[in-house]
Amino acid sequence: MTIKEYIPNELLRPFIKGYKIIESQGELTNRVVPDTSFAIAFRLKGQIAYISNDLKTVLPMTILSGLRKSVRLINYSPETSALIVLFTATGISAFFKQPLYTLFEESVSLDNFFRQSEMAALEDQLSEADDSKSRIAIVEQFFYSKLINTHPDALVAEAINKIHLSNGLIRMKALAGSLFISQDAFEKRFRKVTGTSPKQFSSIIKMKTIIQKGTAASFLDISHNYGFYDQAHFNKDFKIFTGLTPTSFFKSGSYW
């Protein structure tokens, strides 16, 4: 598999984190752990499928994936390629009027949001393009046309910054208080912008922090330091997040 990364045009950088062109020569399955970004995948050729309970579900040509608390296993058939658009944490709401929090743990075809004829034309343009930069230019033009809000929510952005600084350990009441907003109003606003609750967002940040720090500390110490009731609770949440026990996951070294 080869992966090439591209930076968005300056106008789109507040909303789109980056692009990836993925090409698989042989069949393979990626383990994708949860992140705080929505993603849209444009399949350029071949076949892509989700694997769950040993069952393979073939994905449509273009798919929008919401945030998750659980791991994804993504299978690429031989000679498959895809263009992945990764949004910033607050970026997805700049392009959609629909309430995207309903997509938590969901992946749906993009033609649920835009006209099927429009999506078919876009897919045809991508298939006819000669190279990756041309395909990215086509996708960027599409997102320019869909941009409905050029001003990211500053309050939600500040909340996200505070969550990152705390490694996901900040309490929601304290977070809302620090932003001078009621907890209920804050949670509704946060969910509308990011597609998930601030508590679930914090849980993703907390688990990603644990993964990034690796196993310098014992799992028992990690469970205490990150607010888990006990190690069994940590092990359970970790397996939901990665699909593996902590020991197996850190030995595998294979994930996104």
Side-chain angles (χ1 to χ4, degrees):
M1 168 179 274
T2 59
I3 302 173
K4 294 181 180 179
E5 299 185 2
Y6 298 85
I7 298 171
N9 183 285
E10 186 174 356
L11 178 62
L12 291 174
R13 286 178 199 168
F15 317 106
I16 296 176
K17 188 161 55 174
Y19 309 104
K20 290 183 179 182
I21 300 285
I22 299 174
E23 297 178 330
S24 65
Q25 291 71 46
E27 183 174 5
L28 58 87
T29 298
N30 280 332
R31 181 178 302 276
V32 182
V33 300
D35 198 3
T36 55
S37 301
F38 272 72
I40 292 177
F42 297 91
R43 176 164 51 85
L44 305 175
K45 65 176 181 178
Q47 179 179 285
I48 304 174
Y50 285 159
I51 297 178
S52 179
N53 298 321
D54 296 324
L55 296 176
K56 185 182 290 187
T57 302
V58 176
L59 302 181
M61 184 73 74
T62 306
I63 190 165
L64 170 64
S65 294
L67 273 59
R68 301 175 65 88
K69 64 179 180 181
S70 57
V71 68
R72 285 191 185 100
L73 296 179
I74 303 179
N75 177 265
Y76 292 79
S77 66
E79 302 301 322
T80 290
S81 62
L83 192 165
I84 312 297
V85 182
L86 298 171
F87 294 85
T88 63
T90 60
I92 191 68
S93 59
F95 303 99
F96 294 86
K97 295 179 181 179
Q98 298 89 339
L100 295 173
Y101 57 82
T102 60
L103 292 181
F104 191 77
E105 291 278 344
E106 298 291 340
S107 296
V108 298
S109 175
L110 202 57
D111 61 18
N112 282 280
F113 300 93
F114 305 116
R115 296 192 308 274
Q116 291 186 1
S117 59
E118 184 178 26
M119 296 310 306
L122 176 62
E123 291 161 4
D124 286 344
Q125 290 179 56
L126 288 171
S127 66
E128 294 170 2
D130 294 328
D131 53 43
S132 296
K133 289 186 177 179
S134 298
R135 294 185 182 101
I136 289 170
I138 291 167
V139 167
E140 289 205 317
Q141 186 58 47
F142 172 76
F143 283 113
Y144 286 140
S145 72
K146 300 303 178 186
L147 194 56
I148 58 175
N149 179 11
T150 58
H151 300 287
D153 190 310
L155 183 142
V156 173
E158 178 61 19
I160 288 171
N161 183 54
K162 289 175 180 288
I163 292 170
H164 277 284
L165 289 174
S166 73
N167 291 329
L169 295 174
I170 192 168
R171 294 185 179 277
M172 296 305 103
K173 184 176 181 179
L175 178 56
S178 73
L179 298 167
F180 306 102
I181 186 173
S182 73
Q183 186 173 348
D184 183 60
F186 166 63
E187 292 189 355
K188 288 179 180 177
R189 187 163 163 178
F190 191 98
R191 190 167 59 247
K192 180 180 178 181
V193 172
T194 67
T196 191
S197 70
K199 183 176 181 179
Q200 188 62 62
F201 190 97
S202 296
S203 296
I204 295 171
I205 294 297
K206 179 170 69 173
M207 199 64 76
K208 287 182 71 69
T209 300
I210 292 170
I211 288 173
Q212 289 162 3
K213 290 189 174 182
T215 56
S218 72
F219 295 136
L220 180 60
D221 288 340
I222 289 173
S223 65
H224 289 321
N225 293 338
Y226 285 88
F228 295 95
Y229 181 73
D230 53 25
Q231 188 174 342
H233 181 200
F234 165 65
N235 289 348
K236 179 182 177 181
D237 283 5
F238 191 94
K239 189 168 185 180
I240 291 172
F241 196 85
T242 67
L244 298 170
T245 65
T247 300
S248 298
F249 179 82
F250 286 112
K251 282 183 179 179
S252 72
S254 177
Y255 68 94
W256 282 12

mmCIF file of all heavy atoms in Angstrom, residues 45-75:
data_model
loop_
_atom_site.group_PDB
_atom_site.id
_atom_site.type_symbol
_atom_site.label_atom_id
_atom_site.label_comp_id
_atom_site.label_asym_id
_atom_site.label_seq_id
_atom_site.Cartn_x
_atom_site.Cartn_y
_atom_site.Cartn_z
ATOM 1 N N LYS A 45 -10.990 3.450 -7.832
ATOM 2 C CA LYS A 45 -11.096 2.170 -8.539
ATOM 3 C C LYS A 45 -11.025 1.051 -7.518
ATOM 4 O O LYS A 45 -10.642 1.253 -6.371
ATOM 5 C CB LYS A 45 -9.994 2.011 -9.584
ATOM 6 C CG LYS A 45 -8.590 1.925 -9.014
ATOM 7 C CD LYS A 45 -7.571 1.670 -10.121
ATOM 8 C CE LYS A 45 -6.159 1.554 -9.542
ATOM 9 N NZ LYS A 45 -5.151 1.246 -10.593
ATOM 10 N N GLY A 46 -11.406 -0.162 -7.935
ATOM 11 C CA GLY A 46 -11.357 -1.306 -7.032
ATOM 12 C C GLY A 46 -12.565 -1.393 -6.123
ATOM 13 O O GLY A 46 -13.664 -0.905 -6.445
ATOM 14 N N GLN A 47 -12.361 -1.963 -4.940
ATOM 15 C CA GLN A 47 -13.456 -2.184 -3.988
ATOM 16 C C GLN A 47 -12.956 -1.978 -2.568
ATOM 17 O O GLN A 47 -11.877 -2.443 -2.196
ATOM 18 C CB GLN A 47 -13.991 -3.608 -4.139
ATOM 19 C CG GLN A 47 -15.120 -3.957 -3.170
ATOM 20 C CD GLN A 47 -15.632 -5.356 -3.385
ATOM 21 O OE1 GLN A 47 -16.340 -5.636 -4.344
ATOM 22 N NE2 GLN A 47 -15.267 -6.282 -2.494
ATOM 23 N N ILE A 48 -13.763 -1.273 -1.781
ATOM 24 C CA ILE A 48 -13.459 -1.033 -0.366
ATOM 25 C C ILE A 48 -14.636 -1.548 0.449
ATOM 26 O O ILE A 48 -15.799 -1.367 0.076
ATOM 27 C CB ILE A 48 -13.230 0.463 -0.089
ATOM 28 C CG1 ILE A 48 -12.115 1.008 -0.990
ATOM 29 C CG2 ILE A 48 -12.876 0.693 1.377
ATOM 30 C CD1 ILE A 48 -11.930 2.508 -0.886
ATOM 31 N N ALA A 49 -14.335 -2.191 1.573
ATOM 32 C CA ALA A 49 -15.402 -2.774 2.397
ATOM 33 C C ALA A 49 -15.056 -2.626 3.868
ATOM 34 O O ALA A 49 -13.883 -2.566 4.257
ATOM 35 C CB ALA A 49 -15.590 -4.249 2.048
ATOM 36 N N TYR A 50 -16.097 -2.535 4.702
ATOM 37 C CA TYR A 50 -15.924 -2.647 6.147
ATOM 38 C C TYR A 50 -16.027 -4.119 6.522
ATOM 39 O O TYR A 50 -16.823 -4.870 5.948
ATOM 40 C CB TYR A 50 -17.016 -1.880 6.905
ATOM 41 C CG TYR A 50 -16.844 -0.380 6.909
ATOM 42 C CD1 TYR A 50 -17.931 0.458 7.147
ATOM 43 C CD2 TYR A 50 -15.606 0.213 6.689
ATOM 44 C CE1 TYR A 50 -17.791 1.830 7.163
ATOM 45 C CE2 TYR A 50 -15.452 1.583 6.702
ATOM 46 C CZ TYR A 50 -16.547 2.391 6.941
ATOM 47 O OH TYR A 50 -16.411 3.751 6.966
ATOM 48 N N ILE A 51 -15.240 -4.533 7.511
ATOM 49 C CA ILE A 51 -15.317 -5.892 8.027
ATOM 50 C C ILE A 51 -15.791 -5.834 9.474
ATOM 51 O O ILE A 51 -15.209 -5.133 10.302
ATOM 52 C CB ILE A 51 -13.958 -6.608 7.937
ATOM 53 C CG1 ILE A 51 -13.529 -6.755 6.474
ATOM 54 C CG2 ILE A 51 -14.031 -7.976 8.605
ATOM 55 C CD1 ILE A 51 -12.182 -7.410 6.288
ATOM 56 N N SER A 52 -16.859 -6.551 9.763
ATOM 57 C CA SER A 52 -17.398 -6.621 11.115
ATOM 58 C C SER A 52 -17.925 -8.023 11.360
ATOM 59 O O SER A 52 -18.719 -8.544 10.561
ATOM 60 C CB SER A 52 -18.530 -5.597 11.288
ATOM 61 O OG SER A 52 -19.088 -5.665 12.573
ATOM 62 N N ASN A 53 -17.452 -8.631 12.444
ATOM 63 C CA ASN A 53 -17.851 -10.006 12.768
ATOM 64 C C ASN A 53 -17.622 -10.950 11.586
ATOM 65 O O ASN A 53 -18.470 -11.802 11.270
ATOM 66 C CB ASN A 53 -19.325 -10.045 13.196
ATOM 67 C CG ASN A 53 -19.588 -9.225 14.441
ATOM 68 O OD1 ASN A 53 -18.779 -9.208 15.367
ATOM 69 N ND2 ASN A 53 -20.706 -8.522 14.464
ATOM 70 N N ASP A 54 -16.481 -10.761 10.941
ATOM 71 C CA ASP A 54 -16.063 -11.584 9.787
ATOM 72 C C ASP A 54 -16.948 -11.411 8.565
ATOM 73 O O ASP A 54 -16.842 -12.190 7.608
ATOM 74 C CB ASP A 54 -16.006 -13.072 10.179
ATOM 75 C CG ASP A 54 -14.946 -13.346 11.236
ATOM 76 O OD1 ASP A 54 -13.885 -12.692 11.182
ATOM 77 O OD2 ASP A 54 -15.189 -14.187 12.108
ATOM 78 N N LEU A 55 -17.838 -10.413 8.590
ATOM 79 C CA LEU A 55 -18.687 -10.129 7.435
ATOM 80 C C LEU A 55 -18.159 -8.890 6.711
ATOM 81 O O LEU A 55 -17.765 -7.914 7.346
ATOM 82 C CB LEU A 55 -20.135 -9.900 7.867
ATOM 83 C CG LEU A 55 -20.840 -11.104 8.500
ATOM 84 C CD1 LEU A 55 -22.235 -10.690 8.969
ATOM 85 C CD2 LEU A 55 -20.918 -12.272 7.526
ATOM 86 N N LYS A 56 -18.175 -8.932 5.396
ATOM 87 C CA LYS A 56 -17.657 -7.838 4.580
ATOM 88 C C LYS A 56 -18.821 -7.062 3.973
ATOM 89 O O LYS A 56 -19.677 -7.639 3.308
ATOM 90 C CB LYS A 56 -16.756 -8.398 3.482
ATOM 91 C CG LYS A 56 -16.048 -7.346 2.642
ATOM 92 C CD LYS A 56 -15.210 -7.981 1.542
ATOM 93 C CE LYS A 56 -13.996 -8.701 2.111
ATOM 94 N NZ LYS A 56 -13.100 -9.167 1.006
ATOM 95 N N THR A 57 -18.854 -5.745 4.226
ATOM 96 C CA THR A 57 -19.877 -4.873 3.663
ATOM 97 C C THR A 57 -19.216 -3.931 2.666
ATOM 98 O O THR A 57 -18.426 -3.061 3.050
ATOM 99 C CB THR A 57 -20.576 -4.049 4.759
ATOM 100 O OG1 THR A 57 -21.152 -4.934 5.727
ATOM 101 C CG2 THR A 57 -21.661 -3.164 4.169
ATOM 102 N N VAL A 58 -19.529 -4.104 1.387
ATOM 103 C CA VAL A 58 -18.921 -3.282 0.335
ATOM 104 C C VAL A 58 -19.476 -1.859 0.425
ATOM 105 O O VAL A 58 -20.686 -1.649 0.571
ATOM 106 C CB VAL A 58 -19.191 -3.886 -1.054
ATOM 107 C CG1 VAL A 58 -18.649 -2.974 -2.148
ATOM 108 C CG2 VAL A 58 -18.574 -5.272 -1.148
ATOM 109 N N LEU A 59 -18.586 -0.877 0.337
ATOM 110 C CA LEU A 59 -18.966 0.523 0.483
ATOM 111 C C LEU A 59 -19.309 1.147 -0.863
ATOM 112 O O LEU A 59 -18.794 0.738 -1.906
ATOM 113 C CB LEU A 59 -17.823 1.303 1.134
ATOM 114 C CG LEU A 59 -17.382 0.796 2.513
ATOM 115 C CD1 LEU A 59 -16.263 1.671 3.053
ATOM 116 C CD2 LEU A 59 -18.546 0.777 3.495
ATOM 117 N N PRO A 60 -20.177 2.165 -0.854
ATOM 118 C CA PRO A 60 -20.499 2.870 -2.097
ATOM 119 C C PRO A 60 -19.311 3.666 -2.613
ATOM 120 O O PRO A 60 -18.274 3.785 -1.944
ATOM 121 C CB PRO A 60 -21.658 3.784 -1.684
ATOM 122 C CG PRO A 60 -21.516 3.947 -0.212
ATOM 123 C CD PRO A 60 -20.932 2.665 0.298
ATOM 124 N N MET A 61 -19.463 4.255 -3.782
ATOM 125 C CA MET A 61 -18.383 4.977 -4.434
ATOM 126 C C MET A 61 -17.870 6.140 -3.576
ATOM 127 O O MET A 61 -16.673 6.400 -3.491
ATOM 128 C CB MET A 61 -18.847 5.498 -5.787
ATOM 129 C CG MET A 61 -17.775 6.184 -6.619
ATOM 130 S SD MET A 61 -16.576 5.044 -7.330
ATOM 131 C CE MET A 61 -17.572 4.304 -8.634
ATOM 132 N N THR A 62 -18.793 6.857 -2.938
ATOM 133 C CA THR A 62 -18.430 8.003 -2.109
ATOM 134 C C THR A 62 -19.165 7.891 -0.782
ATOM 135 O O THR A 62 -20.390 7.736 -0.759
ATOM 136 C CB THR A 62 -18.815 9.324 -2.801
ATOM 137 O OG1 THR A 62 -18.228 9.358 -4.107
ATOM 138 C CG2 THR A 62 -18.317 10.507 -1.998
ATOM 139 N N ILE A 63 -18.412 7.988 0.310
ATOM 140 C CA ILE A 63 -19.024 7.737 1.623
ATOM 141 C C ILE A 63 -18.564 8.769 2.643
ATOM 142 O O ILE A 63 -17.403 9.186 2.660
ATOM 143 C CB ILE A 63 -18.690 6.306 2.101
ATOM 144 C CG1 ILE A 63 -19.510 5.944 3.323
ATOM 145 C CG2 ILE A 63 -17.199 6.132 2.357
ATOM 146 C CD1 ILE A 63 -19.501 4.458 3.633
ATOM 147 N N LEU A 64 -19.505 9.205 3.471
ATOM 148 C CA LEU A 64 -19.240 10.130 4.567
ATOM 149 C C LEU A 64 -19.267 9.339 5.872
ATOM 150 O O LEU A 64 -20.246 8.656 6.164
ATOM 151 C CB LEU A 64 -20.301 11.237 4.600
ATOM 152 C CG LEU A 64 -20.314 12.156 5.821
ATOM 153 C CD1 LEU A 64 -19.030 12.972 5.914
ATOM 154 C CD2 LEU A 64 -21.528 13.092 5.773
ATOM 155 N N SER A 65 -18.201 9.446 6.649
ATOM 156 C CA SER A 65 -18.095 8.705 7.908
ATOM 157 C C SER A 65 -18.083 9.664 9.083
ATOM 158 O O SER A 65 -17.274 10.602 9.131
ATOM 159 C CB SER A 65 -16.818 7.860 7.928
ATOM 160 O OG SER A 65 -16.879 6.845 6.953
ATOM 161 N N GLY A 66 -18.986 9.430 10.038
ATOM 162 C CA GLY A 66 -19.030 10.239 11.243
ATOM 163 C C GLY A 66 -18.013 9.782 12.263
ATOM 164 O O GLY A 66 -17.250 8.840 12.046
ATOM 165 N N LEU A 67 -17.994 10.474 13.390
ATOM 166 C CA LEU A 67 -17.092 10.095 14.470
ATOM 167 C C LEU A 67 -17.555 8.787 15.085
ATOM 168 O O LEU A 67 -18.725 8.415 14.980
ATOM 169 C CB LEU A 67 -17.044 11.195 15.529
ATOM 170 C CG LEU A 67 -16.024 12.323 15.289
ATOM 171 C CD1 LEU A 67 -16.274 13.030 13.977
ATOM 172 C CD2 LEU A 67 -16.052 13.311 16.444
ATOM 173 N N ARG A 68 -16.618 8.113 15.739
ATOM 174 C CA ARG A 68 -16.912 6.809 16.326
ATOM 175 C C ARG A 68 -16.206 6.675 17.671
ATOM 176 O O ARG A 68 -15.243 7.390 17.955
ATOM 177 C CB ARG A 68 -16.413 5.678 15.415
ATOM 178 C CG ARG A 68 -16.979 5.653 14.030
ATOM 179 C CD ARG A 68 -16.342 4.577 13.183
ATOM 180 N NE ARG A 68 -16.635 3.232 13.690
ATOM 181 C CZ ARG A 68 -17.699 2.527 13.345
ATOM 182 N NH1 ARG A 68 -18.580 3.026 12.503
ATOM 183 N NH2 ARG A 68 -17.900 1.328 13.827
ATOM 184 N N LYS A 69 -16.688 5.719 18.460
ATOM 185 C CA LYS A 69 -15.963 5.336 19.669
ATOM 186 C C LYS A 69 -15.324 3.960 19.509
ATOM 187 O O LYS A 69 -14.631 3.484 20.415
ATOM 188 C CB LYS A 69 -16.894 5.326 20.877
ATOM 189 C CG LYS A 69 -18.012 4.291 20.811
ATOM 190 C CD LYS A 69 -18.865 4.342 22.064
ATOM 191 C CE LYS A 69 -19.986 3.284 21.991
ATOM 192 N NZ LYS A 69 -20.856 3.322 23.190
ATOM 193 N N SER A 70 -15.568 3.330 18.342
ATOM 194 C CA SER A 70 -15.085 1.967 18.124
ATOM 195 C C SER A 70 -14.225 1.888 16.866
ATOM 196 O O SER A 70 -14.343 2.713 15.951
ATOM 197 C CB SER A 70 -16.259 0.988 18.007
ATOM 198 O OG SER A 70 -17.130 1.388 16.968
ATOM 199 N N VAL A 71 -13.375 0.882 16.821
ATOM 200 C CA VAL A 71 -12.440 0.701 15.718
ATOM 201 C C VAL A 71 -13.165 0.348 14.418
ATOM 202 O O VAL A 71 -14.274 -0.200 14.443
ATOM 203 C CB VAL A 71 -11.427 -0.415 16.081
ATOM 204 C CG1 VAL A 71 -12.120 -1.759 16.146
ATOM 205 C CG2 VAL A 71 -10.245 -0.436 15.126
ATOM 206 N N ARG A 72 -12.551 0.694 13.281
ATOM 207 C CA ARG A 72 -13.028 0.251 11.972
ATOM 208 C C ARG A 72 -11.974 -0.653 11.354
ATOM 209 O O ARG A 72 -10.775 -0.357 11.409
ATOM 210 C CB ARG A 72 -13.225 1.429 11.017
ATOM 211 C CG ARG A 72 -14.431 2.291 11.242
ATOM 212 C CD ARG A 72 -14.580 3.221 10.047
ATOM 213 N NE ARG A 72 -15.652 4.186 10.230
ATOM 214 C CZ ARG A 72 -15.453 5.445 10.609
ATOM 215 N NH1 ARG A 72 -14.242 5.875 10.839
ATOM 216 N NH2 ARG A 72 -16.470 6.268 10.743
ATOM 217 N N LEU A 73 -12.416 -1.740 10.743
ATOM 218 C CA LEU A 73 -11.541 -2.576 9.927
ATOM 219 C C LEU A 73 -11.950 -2.351 8.479
ATOM 220 O O LEU A 73 -13.079 -2.647 8.089
ATOM 221 C CB LEU A 73 -11.668 -4.052 10.311
ATOM 222 C CG LEU A 73 -11.234 -4.415 11.726
ATOM 223 C CD1 LEU A 73 -11.448 -5.904 11.978
ATOM 224 C CD2 LEU A 73 -9.778 -4.048 11.978
ATOM 225 N N ILE A 74 -11.036 -1.802 7.674
ATOM 226 C CA ILE A 74 -11.344 -1.432 6.297
ATOM 227 C C ILE A 74 -10.522 -2.299 5.354
ATOM 228 O O ILE A 74 -9.293 -2.308 5.415
ATOM 229 C CB ILE A 74 -11.063 0.057 6.050
ATOM 230 C CG1 ILE A 74 -11.875 0.914 7.043
ATOM 231 C CG2 ILE A 74 -11.400 0.434 4.617
ATOM 232 C CD1 ILE A 74 -11.657 2.393 6.889
ATOM 233 N N ASN A 75 -11.226 -3.019 4.500
ATOM 234 C CA ASN A 75 -10.592 -3.949 3.569
ATOM 235 C C ASN A 75 -10.487 -3.321 2.178
ATOM 236 O O ASN A 75 -11.450 -2.778 1.654
ATOM 237 C CB ASN A 75 -11.403 -5.243 3.486
ATOM 238 C CG ASN A 75 -10.830 -6.220 2.484
ATOM 239 O OD1 ASN A 75 -11.253 -6.258 1.325
ATOM 240 N ND2 ASN A 75 -9.875 -7.018 2.922
#
